[in-house]
Amino acid sequence: MRLILLGPPGAGKGTQAANIVKKYQLPHISTGDIFRANIKQGTDLGNRAKAFMDKGELVPDSLVVELVEDRLQQDDTKVGFMLDGFPRTLPQAEALDSVLENMGSTLSYVVNIVVDPAVLVERAVGRRICRDCGATYHVKFNPSKEDGVCDLCSGELYQRSDDNEETVSNRIAVYTNETAPLVDYYKKSGKLVTIDGLQDIDKVFADIEKALEV
Ligand code: ADP
Ligand code: ADP
Ligand code: ZN
């Protein structure tokens, strides 16, 4: 299965991607995670991406597209993939189409997680992430059993530096301008499934499972 996830920052893409890759045994390709790993390692790519990410702006298409093209050539994607956070612009979507075409494949589904914009800031600002395994929590909506400690691996939980109110608001505006038009783009392909992301995490996943089984 070759999947992409659409939805604004805080919609629950990363949370659901973790459920999806576990059930369907797919590689999870998160461009945000790849950039954060590069920043941590101090690579050239990380240094170039950081200034954009700190402001809540998109990293330029040229940097993102090449990275995803390379990632999709790796052997583990033969069984499919779960793309999370890509594509985010029309040129990225077109580049993905042509990479897949060259590989003789196409997308299976585009999962669009729809939420009321009013919940996004609270979701993103309360997000906490495990430093060791990347698991995502929320201080109110999905808390870890022990404060600041990952349930899965006992790693330390941290808050992303771009998960503050000002940057999140900017990311939501960027989503509306640059990424939301992709919903229409994929509607035309007939592969779009729309999921109500305002429900509990488990119910959102149950709806995704149902949509992917048809
Ligand atoms: P995205 O990857 O789309 O930015 P995340 O999956 O990281 O979103 O979720 C953002 C925050 O909201 C996280 O703290 C997560 O625990 C929480 N969250 C995710 N899904 C839900 C949900 N259905 N209801 C309430 N909180 C949620
Ligand atoms: P969120 O979970 O809130 O949607 P991500 O982890 O996906 O956030 O992305 C964090 C930041 O990384 C974005 O604000 C942007 O600066 C950069 N980024 C990630 N993916 C892309 C992409 N496909 N195109 C451009 N920038 C990206
Ligand atoms: Zn962990």
Side-chain angles (χ1 to χ4, degrees):
M1 199 149 41
R2 289 168 302 277
L3 303 174
I4 66 178
L5 279 176
L6 284 180
K13 299 183 298 295
T15 301
Q16 298 304 331
N19 289 332
I20 291 168
V21 300
K22 194 168 160 207
K23 169 158 182 186
Y24 299 97
Q25 296 290 303
L26 300 171
H28 180 183
I29 305 175
S30 157
T31 43
D33 285 351
I34 295 172
F35 286 132
R36 281 184 289 277
N38 274 275
I39 290 173
K40 200 169 158 190
Q41 289 157 16
T43 68
D44 183 44
L45 177 68
N47 292 338
R48 286 200 274 169
K50 190 174 185 313
F52 297 99
M53 293 173 72
D54 284 346
K55 285 186 281 189
E57 285 169 12
L58 293 181
V59 175
D61 287 338
S62 55
L63 292 183
V64 190
V65 165
E66 202 185 302
L67 179 144
V68 173
E69 277 176 0
D70 287 348
R71 184 63 187 84
L72 291 178
Q73 313 291 331
Q74 289 175 26
D75 267 359
D76 63 340
T77 66
K78 288 211 167 77
V79 298
F81 54 78
M82 166 80 270
L83 266 175
D84 166 13
F86 181 95
R88 263 176 151 99
T89 64
L90 211 48
Q92 290 181 20
E94 287 164 353
L96 177 62
D97 280 347
S98 64
V99 177
L100 292 176
E101 201 182 318
N102 290 337
M103 293 165 72
S105 86
T106 53
L107 290 172
S108 312
Y109 295 100
V110 176
V111 178
N112 184 28
I113 305 182
V114 179
V115 294
D116 186 330
V119 309
L120 296 175
V121 171
E122 187 181 15
R123 279 204 190 172
V125 171
R127 169 162 50 195
R128 298 292 182 270
I129 297 165
C130 174
R131 243 183 237 296
D132 295 339
C133 76
T136 302
Y137 298 86
H138 190 281
V139 289
K140 187 160 136 197
F141 304 130
N142 184 26
S144 56
K145 291 196 183 79
E146 197 185 326
D147 210 22
V149 182
C150 178
D151 292 350
L152 303 177
C153 77
S154 301
E156 182 201 359
L157 303 187
Y158 79 102
Q159 182 176 25
R160 270 167 49 181
S161 60
D162 60 345
D163 278 344
N164 60 74
E165 204 164 328
E166 191 191 339
T167 309
V168 171
S169 303
N170 195 32
R171 280 154 56 202
I172 295 167
V174 168
Y175 171 83
T176 305
N177 294 332
E178 312 247 7
T179 311
L182 296 185
V183 174
D184 272 341
Y185 180 83
Y186 285 118
K187 219 177 251 168
K188 288 183 193 128
S189 74
K191 295 192 174 144
L192 191 78
V193 296
T194 304
I195 302 289
D196 175 5
L198 279 178
Q199 314 170 90
D200 286 348
I201 291 174
D202 292 349
K203 181 68 176 62
V204 175
F205 183 54
D207 282 3
I208 293 175
E209 284 179 296
K210 233 183 284 166
L212 301 187
E213 266 151 26
V214 265

